[in-house]
Amino acid sequence: MGNKEFSEMCIKQVAQLLGYSEDELFIVWLCKTLQNNKAVVSCIRPYPVYVECTYDGDTDELYINVYTKQLNTCIKEANHEGK
């Protein structure tokens, strides 16, 4: 399956699963390895979900995992070890 077809399928399936409009969703990242595809989908809502879509080309199955942001923090000078 090509990237365009896979992206459209992910947006459609995630919208149906979560009750979102397809216009609220976008692809953050995607890749294709052999006959398999993987994508990360998010949305424009204030508290976005992160959705991982994995398509198994051998079995023609789409797996969807839904995550929510648990933490957002900033660590200043993380690579400087206090120097």
Side-chain angles (χ1 to χ4, degrees), residues 20-51:
Y20 289 7
S21 161
E22 290 184 25
D23 293 336
E24 294 179 289
L25 300 170
F26 60 93
I27 302 292
V28 175
W29 172 88
L30 76 105
C31 73
K32 179 172 177 63
T33 303
L34 301 174
Q35 73 280 7
N36 302 312
N37 302 74
K38 186 173 286 268
V40 175
V41 180
S42 192
C43 69
I44 60 173
R45 291 188 179 189
Y47 297 100
V49 295
Y50 299 93
V51 182

Side-chain angles (χ1 to χ4, degrees), residues 34-79:
L34 301 174
Q35 73 280 7
N36 302 312
N37 302 74
K38 186 173 286 268
V40 175
V41 180
S42 192
C43 69
I44 60 173
R45 291 188 179 189
Y47 297 100
V49 295
Y50 299 93
V51 182
E52 179 185 273
C53 298
T54 304
Y55 176 74
D56 184 332
D58 289 334
T59 61
D60 192 30
E61 295 174 328
L62 179 67
Y63 300 91
I64 298 176
N65 296 310
V66 180
Y67 305 94
T68 57
K69 185 187 291 188
Q70 297 296 311
L71 177 67
N72 181 17
T73 188
C74 174
I75 300 172
K76 297 212 180 259
E77 300 181 24
N79 290 323

